[in-house]
Amino acid sequence: MTELLHLIKSRRSVRKYTGQQISEKDLLAILEAATQAPSGMNYQTWHFTAIQNPDILVELNNRIKQAFGRTDQPQLQERSKSTTYCCYYHAPTLVIVSNEPTQWWAGMDCACAIENMFLAAQALGLGSCWVNQLGTTHQDPEVRALLNSLGVPPSHHVYGCVALGYPDLSVPMKEKALNPNTYTIIK
Ligand SMILES: Cc1cc2nc3c(=O)[nH]c(=O)nc-3n(C[C@H](O)[C@H](O)[C@H](O)COP(=O)(O)O)c2cc1C
């Protein structure tokens, strides 16, 4: 139990990775942890699409940037023009977490699965980060065409992605300041 609490406390979002790919064994352990998460009515309608092909990851990032360019938001348009912007921080593995949008808890199921993946990664000495850019762009026609070709179920919405890899240890882990007074105990 104390080990689990330590994992929870020590996990931080990792935004710089070494180029080393994670092993098949670790990827499968992380995907299994995802599928063990609770889900509303135990429907388990989610799908996890793990991409480890660097060319596909670059293409996905390009299509996301192009979709940003088609929005009317100046900040996103800036990102679309950036030659360095990489929404997945060049992580060697990205897991797309999608679900049927027909149930209102679809996103909650995905969040539970994503946290399980973060903690499993932490237990295996890997870094992880939530990557949200497909949440707003997955219905863009060019992005959707790529997602469909990768096997994301066509009816699914994307609720988040998980970047996975070995953390670049030259980047110090930040201490996290916790907001005070965020819980109440009534006895
Ligand atoms: C719903 C959600 C969406 C997030 N989206 C992104 C994202 O797109 N890119 C990113 O770098 N971090 C993203 N994060 C990570 C948060 O920025 C991070 O969890 C927060 O700053 C706290 O830091 P920690 O994870 O290191 O504890 C997201 C986190 C959550 C829960």
Side-chain angles (χ1 to χ4, degrees), residues 11-13 15 89 129-133 176:
R11 181 215 55 82
R12 286 292 170 274
S13 296
R15 298 187 176 88
Y89 305 106
C129 189
W130 188 308
V131 171
N132 224 21
Q133 285 63 28
K176 185 155 83 167

Side-chain angles (χ1 to χ4, degrees), residues 2-186:
T2 50
E3 203 180 321
L4 175 61
L5 292 176
H6 175 71
L7 282 175
I8 290 170
K9 281 189 186 175
S10 58
R11 181 215 55 82
R12 286 292 170 274
S13 296
V14 170
R15 298 187 176 88
K16 196 162 185 213
Y17 297 88
T18 72
Q20 190 187 343
Q21 185 55 275
I22 70 171
S23 70
E24 184 87 2
K25 189 165 164 264
D26 284 356
L27 177 60
L28 289 173
I30 290 166
L31 292 173
E32 206 214 331
T35 60
Q36 290 286 354
S39 64
M41 306 287 287
N42 194 25
Y43 280 169
Q44 302 177 35
T45 47
W46 45 39
H47 193 81
F48 306 93
T49 307
I51 306 171
Q52 296 194 304
N53 180 312
D55 295 338
I56 294 173
L57 286 172
V58 168
E59 180 62 21
L60 184 62
N61 191 57
N62 284 340
R63 292 198 192 199
I64 288 170
K65 280 169 62 180
Q66 286 158 10
F68 283 167
R70 288 189 277 273
T71 68
D72 54 7
Q73 294 179 46
Q75 194 200 354
L76 294 182
Q77 285 174 356
E78 272 312 303
R79 279 186 184 172
S80 81
K81 288 184 224 143
S82 163
T83 51
T84 53
Y85 176 75
C86 180
C87 69
Y88 60 95
Y89 305 106
H90 303 286
T93 296
L94 185 75
V95 182
I96 299 170
V97 182
S98 65
N99 207 345
E100 288 292 345
T102 46
Q103 306 298 339
W104 72 274
W105 56 76
M108 301 173 211
D109 291 354
C110 289
C112 288
I114 288 172
E115 179 67 359
N116 269 16
M117 295 168 86
F118 289 159
L119 294 178
Q122 182 75 3
L124 293 165
L126 299 170
S128 63
C129 189
W130 188 308
V131 171
N132 224 21
Q133 285 63 28
L134 275 177
T136 49
T137 59
H138 68 269
Q139 295 296 46
D140 174 271
E142 300 295 316
V143 174
R144 190 77 234 183
L146 181 59
L147 294 178
N148 290 351
S149 77
L150 298 173
V152 176
S155 61
H156 276 198
H157 285 193
V158 177
Y159 291 94
C161 297
V162 175
L164 291 168
Y166 287 89
D168 181 333
L169 297 175
S170 67
V171 179
M173 285 287 141
K174 279 191 196 150
E175 281 290 316
K176 185 155 83 167
L178 299 182
N179 283 353
N181 305 322
T182 55
Y183 52 77
T184 302
I185 300 172
I186 313 282

